[in-house]
Amino acid sequence: MEEKRLTLRENLASLDRLQLFPVLALFLLGVVSIFSAGAGFDGRGGGFAVRQLLWGGLSVAAFLAVLQVGYAGLFSWAYRIYLFALVLLLGVIVLGLTVKGSRSWFHLGVFRFQPAEFGKIALILALSKHFCRYPPLTLPSFLGGLALAGVSGWLVLLQPDTGSAMVYGAITMVTIVVAGAPWKYPAGIIGLMMAAVPLVWQFLKEYQKMRIRVFLDPWADPLGAGYNVIQSRIAVGSGGLFGKGFMEGLQSKLRFLPEPHTDFIFSVYCEEFGFIGAVAMLFLFGMLFWRLLETGMRTKDSRAKVLIAGISAWIWFQMAESIGMSIGLLPVTGLPLPLVSYGGSSLLALSIALALAQSVYISTLKTY
């Protein structure tokens, strides 16, 4: 007998509110921080904030649409969605807009679209379906999954977008492990990657090498590549315990802090809301991860388990990298802080991913 499909009203009534709360709270904290960060750009903070709110409205519409379709419905289209993502990633290399040396954006009139963000969803869907059809228990099936992910990762590297490629790698490794691969396979890949570091170094561009050098010692180039990290550390440290107060952060207002509304939004937030505010933001992220992992453990659908693992790896890796680079613990990659940084493509993609997670949660309610 065919299972009854829930209406949108019934789906909304069944949402995991403990997962929804930190998402909305992080988004609103992001809008507030974007408004403040943009004040140093000739008072453009209001424009940035309004555009982020507009993207938020579009993201809500996408969330509702995906929630109604459900994760099972998208799984039936997983390979075709992944193929479409590959076409977009290839197309942006040929036709995309070049920004700061990377051809990662389509310029669509009044807004830009970054295919690499959509590619993260496509990759998670494809790997979830693939690994449940061909569990990575043997070397051929394990390598088949790596090859599937490698195509999209390679296209992202060609842009070049090293940060997004790292996210693709994190998603792939976590989904492989959750899908049941013996530990020797992912451990072997990690070992090979570490052994290949000297070789890879020879192929890095000079600006990429400099990012690694200034990660080890920002003062090696304090007025060049190390400038961003130094100013970001100053912003975070100057916030103290309680922060300087909303709109009172000098690093962004006086334009010492580069890309304050995107790459270094966490630094802006910490300068104005201090250590207490940073702890509160980390608590919200922790709450989101807890609910995602709870959903993944409760579902009996193996595809959904891998799906939730991929989404969690995506958000966790970007959060850790974005915060880590803001305080000088990790190299600068330009990855946005999920749900907080300014950027429509990232917000829209995350909304779709979280709708899939909520769909999995709703499906678990039917089994309890």
Side-chain angles (χ1 to χ4, degrees):
M1 183 177 180
E2 185 177 352
E3 185 178 353
K4 179 184 176 182
R5 186 172 181 176
L6 298 179
T7 64
L8 180 59
R9 184 185 294 260
E10 290 171 329
N11 277 325
L12 291 175
S14 303
L15 288 176
D16 181 2
R17 290 173 175 78
L18 289 177
Q19 182 195 130
L20 192 61
F21 170 74
V23 170
L24 294 176
L26 287 167
F27 172 71
L28 292 176
L29 286 178
V31 172
V32 168
S33 298
I34 290 166
F35 179 84
S36 180
F41 292 86
D42 300 321
R44 293 167 58 193
F48 287 148
V50 168
R51 282 195 289 274
Q52 188 73 352
L53 287 170
L54 291 175
W55 273 109
L58 183 60
S59 297
V60 169
F63 178 93
L64 295 176
V66 173
L67 183 69
Q68 189 61 17
V69 173
Y71 79 94
L74 284 188
F75 267 134
S76 64
W77 287 77
Y79 291 140
R80 279 168 282 190
I81 292 173
Y82 185 65
L83 181 60
F84 179 62
L86 293 182
V87 172
L88 289 178
L89 290 172
L90 182 61
V92 79
I93 295 173
V94 179
L95 304 172
L97 178 69
T98 301
V99 179
K100 296 181 181 179
S102 295
R103 195 181 290 268
S104 304
W105 303 83
F106 282 121
H107 186 64
L108 305 175
V110 296
F111 66 94
R112 298 174 181 175
F113 173 68
Q114 188 175 16
E117 295 294 337
F118 175 75
K120 296 169 187 175
I121 301 170
L123 175 62
I124 292 171
L125 285 169
L127 288 178
S128 301
K129 185 169 184 175
H130 180 80
F131 283 138
C132 290
R133 280 188 173 184
Y134 311 101
L137 302 176
T138 63
L139 187 58
S141 58
F142 170 73
L143 293 177
L146 281 185
L148 180 68
V151 176
S152 58
W154 177 65
L155 290 175
V156 171
L157 278 174
L158 287 179
Q159 296 178 9
D161 184 352
T162 308
S164 292
M166 292 169 63
V167 177
Y168 280 49
I171 290 171
T172 302
M173 294 301 291
V174 171
T175 53
I176 283 173
V177 171
V178 173
W183 280 100
K184 61 182 180 180
Y185 292 154
I189 292 297
I190 294 174
L192 287 174
M193 290 171 61
M194 294 178 65
V197 167
L199 179 62
V200 172
W201 179 264
Q202 304 301 319
F203 292 93
L204 292 179
K205 295 186 177 181
E206 189 56 37
Y207 80 91
Q208 294 172 321
K209 292 180 179 180
M210 184 55 71
R211 282 185 175 181
I212 297 174
R213 294 191 187 105
V214 299
F215 160 62
L216 299 174
D217 180 16
W219 293 98
D221 188 13
L223 298 179
Y227 180 83
N228 294 1
V229 177
I230 293 171
Q231 297 302 323
S232 180
R233 284 182 174 180
I234 292 173
V236 173
S238 64
L241 184 61
F242 296 105
K244 295 180 177 179
F246 178 57
M247 297 292 291
E248 297 298 326
L250 297 180
Q251 288 297 106
S252 60
K253 304 302 178 297
L254 299 179
R255 298 194 179 185
F256 289 114
L257 189 64
E259 306 297 337
H261 59 310
T262 54
D263 297 359
F264 292 99
I265 193 70
F266 184 74
S267 307
V268 175
Y269 175 81
C270 286
E271 185 178 19
E272 299 189 352
F273 297 100
F275 177 76
I276 299 300
V279 170
M281 180 174 284
L282 290 174
F283 173 80
L284 291 172
F285 275 114
M287 187 176 181
L288 175 58
F289 294 136
W290 163 53
R291 296 313 301 166
L292 287 173
L293 294 177
E294 179 74 12
T295 299
M297 290 187 290
R298 287 180 60 176
T299 182
K300 296 178 181 179
D301 186 339
S302 58
R303 299 173 307 170
K305 285 185 182 293
V306 180
L307 175 75
I308 294 294
I311 294 171
S312 301
W314 167 10
I315 298 175
W316 181 88
F317 184 88
Q318 279 201 204
M319 180 211 69
E321 168 58 25
S322 183
I323 292 177
M325 73 180 189
S326 295
I327 58 180
L329 293 180
L330 292 171
V332 175
T333 59
L335 285 174
L337 184 58
L339 301 168
V340 181
S341 291
Y342 176 78
S345 297
S346 175
L347 184 62
L348 183 62
L350 285 166
S351 298
I352 294 172
L354 292 169
L356 291 171
Q358 287 281 9
S359 177
V360 174
Y361 173 83
I362 293 170
S363 72
T364 66
L365 297 179
K366 302 175 185 178
T367 61
Y368 283 83

